[in-house]
Amino acid sequence: MKVLKKMIFISVFALLISSCSNFTFLKGCPDGEIEWVDVLMINDIQYEHHFPEPVNENLPITIEKGKELGKVTYKMADSACSNHKMQNGDATYLKEGTIISEIKGYPSSLIIAANNDVYVANTNKKAKTVGELYPMDHLVKNIYFESTEDGKRIHTFSQSSKDTFLAAFYELKLEDVQSLIDVGKLEDTRIFLGIELNNGVSFRQLYWSDSNTFQNGAIGNDKIKEVINYELSNLKK
């Protein structure tokens, strides 16, 4: 049962977190057909490229690349099986030799650039809290709800709700995601929360309202639940 839950979660997570993924069939792999999500790993942090619906196509993402952090050394979609353990320099789709860069004004432990795409941290074993996983103090422009049907923005938090949410969010401890799956925390009513940074980069957080739990392993407190319920009530008006 644990294996089944893990397989189901990986499939749903891949489909919902990234709106653009591809299947690859590799001979010799135990699972044969693999569904890849656009990720890379550098400095022991795994990052993911997100594909949110643009709020306004006339307001493009503005980034300025900083110093080089490294290069892609292995393209997984060409030869890796799904049980491959990522190492620094691994990427699913980026060509070997692709330069990975800092983004000026933002911690490299939060977002980085490769080609002209932005990658957001999603796994950092050194991070013990949400604030350590997402060091984005004073860097967030908006928090908003996305439609679970098409991913479009449907409601933006008020300034006070945004500030209250982020203050509580940063303090949450990160739990082991597989353990949360095993006890059924990542089930039932699901909400898409979007985080928009000052430079226009947005990324999604899956939130299960019944268990007050986020996809990254953070379990919300009363303040988190209060803010989300308050903004949901405004959405329904």
Side-chain angles (χ1 to χ4, degrees):
M1 180 62 71
K2 289 183 179 180
V3 174
L4 177 60
K5 281 187 176 182
K6 183 173 182 180
M7 290 173 65
I8 292 173
F9 175 75
I10 290 173
S11 297
V12 173
F13 186 80
L15 287 171
L16 295 178
I17 294 299
S18 174
S19 62
C20 181
S21 54
N22 294 307
F23 287 94
T24 301
F25 184 84
L26 293 175
K27 294 181 178 179
C29 289
D31 38 16
E33 192 174 55
I34 305 169
E35 184 180 13
W36 291 111
V37 176
D38 190 358
V39 295
L40 67 82
M41 186 169 182
I42 194 75
N43 294 333
D44 299 323
I45 301 175
Q46 183 176 300
Y47 300 81
E48 182 176 352
H49 176 52
H50 294 253
F51 302 84
E53 285 288 331
V55 179
N56 186 334
E57 294 182 358
N58 296 319
L59 297 175
I61 293 172
T62 56
I63 63 170
E64 183 179 359
K65 294 180 183 178
K67 71 177 183 180
E68 181 180 321
L69 297 172
K71 295 181 180 180
V72 174
T73 56
Y74 181 62
K75 183 178 178 182
M76 295 162 53
D78 285 341
S79 53
C81 296
S82 63
N83 59 0
H84 172 76
K85 293 184 178 180
M86 290 191 72
Q87 301 178 21
N88 290 326
D90 287 1
T92 46
Y93 297 123
L94 298 173
K95 296 179 180 179
E96 294 179 6
T98 299
I99 295 174
I100 303 167
S101 305
E102 288 183 341
I103 295 176
K104 290 185 178 180
Y106 293 81
S108 59
S109 56
L110 173 63
I111 57 175
I112 57 175
N115 287 337
N116 293 316
D117 292 326
V118 176
Y119 288 76
V120 182
N122 67 9
T123 304
N124 182 349
K125 293 182 179 180
K126 294 181 180 179
K128 303 302 180 184
T129 65
V130 171
E132 292 175 355
L133 177 61
Y134 303 128
M136 52 188 183
D137 193 26
H138 303 298
L139 297 174
V140 178
K141 182 178 181 180
N142 287 307
I143 304 292
Y144 55 91
F145 293 128
E146 293 179 347
S147 168
T148 56
E149 296 180 358
D150 58 17
K152 292 183 178 180
R153 185 180 306 208
I154 54 176
H155 175 75
T156 301
F157 285 25
S158 67
Q159 182 66 42
S160 60
S161 288
K162 183 194 83 169
D163 293 341
T164 301
F165 174 86
L166 288 174
F169 192 51
Y170 292 151
E171 299 297 321
L172 300 181
K173 293 183 179 179
L174 298 174
E175 309 292 341
D176 178 67
V177 175
Q178 184 58 50
S179 297
L180 297 178
I181 296 170
D182 292 342
V183 297
K185 289 284 187 180
L186 306 189
E187 297 178 359
D188 301 318
T189 306
R190 185 182 63 246
I191 294 171
F192 287 2
L193 281 174
I195 298 177
E196 180 186 2
L197 302 180
N198 292 333
N199 60 4
V201 172
S202 295
F203 61 100
R204 181 183 297 163
Q205 291 288 291
L206 265 65
Y207 171 76
W208 283 264
S209 59
D210 300 275
S211 60
N212 197 18
T213 304
F214 294 87
Q215 96 229 2
N216 54 32
I219 298 177
N221 51 28
D222 291 341
K223 187 61 68 176
I224 290 287
K225 199 170 189 67
E226 178 183 334
V227 171
I228 290 178
N229 286 338
Y230 172 76
E231 290 298 332
L232 282 173
S233 69
N234 288 332
L235 171 63
K236 296 175 182 178
K237 291 180 180 179

